[in-house]
Amino acid sequence: VRNVEVAAEQFEGVVIPPGGVFSFNEIVRDVSSANGFEDSLVIWGDRTAVGVGGGVCQVSTTVFRAAYEGGFPIVERYNHGYVVDWYGEPGMDATIFTPSVDFRFRNDTGSYLLMEPVVDAANGVLTVNLYGTKPERTVTVSKPEITEVLTPEPPSYVVDETLAEGAQNQVEWEKDGMTTRVTRTIVENGTTRTDTLESQYEPWQAVYLVGPGTAIPESAVTP
């Protein structure tokens, strides 16, 4: 939650000029402890690990949804490596990793946009408001179409010498891999246009840490 607050504060009063491209990383810059970010869970390669800035992607995802549902052209966007439940339906998330993985959109309204983030930490709600001259457009976003579902490998059991025999600690949770496609329909000034947002998620294997001598299921994957 602290990382969400620190990241969201950076967007107070951000103005995007007509035709300008908003860049998440240009605003947040360095996600580091020196800039007030704390350790939390992040996706690191093929594992969830503790790293600086975990939670910042909640902010990038919320900014993405505001821009996407506002009908703005998406210039750059990447999904997470696997389906993360707290982002809701798959296909509507936007990950960032400074400085190489960014989220960007273009202001195509012909007027200035003012960004206002609102963090309600007590209720766990983050809102991003975009203020400007409202274009004569309506935007409809479809439910995600899910295809190419991939089942992850059986759970992996890793011996942890710090645990007692029989002890078991789950550190990764099983998630199906899949491809999702979300269709956006924009009606503006008598014309209709559509675009499709495609996301590919890897299957994610459950992982357990176990104490030495702990019985491991025969179907399990062991390193």
Side-chain angles (χ1 to χ4, degrees):
V1 172
R2 178 56 185 160
N3 288 337
V4 169
E5 292 174 336
V6 172
E9 287 172 359
Q10 311 304 311
F11 297 94
E12 283 283 356
V14 166
V15 174
I16 310 165
V21 174
F22 164 89
S23 165
F24 190 93
N25 285 349
E26 283 184 5
I27 304 300
V28 173
R29 297 187 183 275
D30 187 26
V31 178
S32 66
S33 56
N35 287 336
F37 292 97
E38 300 177 357
D39 285 347
S40 187
L41 294 179
V42 298
I43 300 176
W44 188 268
D46 63 350
R47 286 289 177 266
T48 305
V50 175
V52 176
V56 173
C57 288
Q58 181 64 72
V59 183
S60 59
T61 291
T62 306
V63 174
F64 156 67
R65 289 182 177 178
Y68 190 70
E69 294 180 17
F72 295 100
I74 304 303
V75 177
E76 182 178 4
R77 173 261 176 190
Y78 304 92
N79 59 273
H80 288 76
Y82 66 90
V83 175
V84 181
D85 288 339
W86 57 76
Y87 294 131
E89 291 183 305
M92 290 295 290
D93 59 311
T95 188
I96 61 99
F97 185 80
T98 56
S100 55
V101 177
D102 200 359
F103 167 67
R104 298 188 296 152
F105 74 91
R106 178 177 291 105
N107 173 14
D108 66 339
T109 64
S111 62
Y112 286 86
L113 283 178
L114 173 67
M115 184 173 290
E116 179 197 45
V118 181
V119 180
D120 181 354
N123 293 305
V125 177
L126 169 65
T127 304
V128 171
N129 296 311
L130 296 173
Y131 295 102
T133 302
K134 186 175 182 179
E136 294 296 324
R137 67 170 59 146
T138 59
V139 181
T140 304
V141 178
S142 74
K143 294 288 186 180
E145 175 192 358
I146 298 175
T147 59
E148 303 171 42
V149 177
L150 301 172
T151 302
E153 293 184 2
S156 174
Y157 288 77
V158 181
V159 175
D160 184 340
E161 299 291 342
T162 66
L163 297 178
E165 181 178 351
Q168 179 173 291
N169 181 24
Q170 186 170 6
V171 294
E172 299 282 354
W173 278 259
E174 180 179 281
K175 298 292 179 184
D176 286 341
M178 64 185 67
T179 296
T180 67
R181 294 178 181 86
V182 176
T183 299
R184 179 173 65 168
T185 303
I186 303 169
V187 180
E188 185 171 11
N189 298 325
T191 63
T192 300
R193 62 185 188 272
T194 62
D195 55 52
T196 300
L197 187 72
E198 182 173 304
S199 306
Q200 294 181 336
Y201 300 95
E202 297 295 324
W204 209 252
Q205 181 186 41
V207 177
Y208 296 86
L209 301 181
V210 297
T214 300
I216 295 174
E218 292 183 1
S219 61
V221 175
T222 54

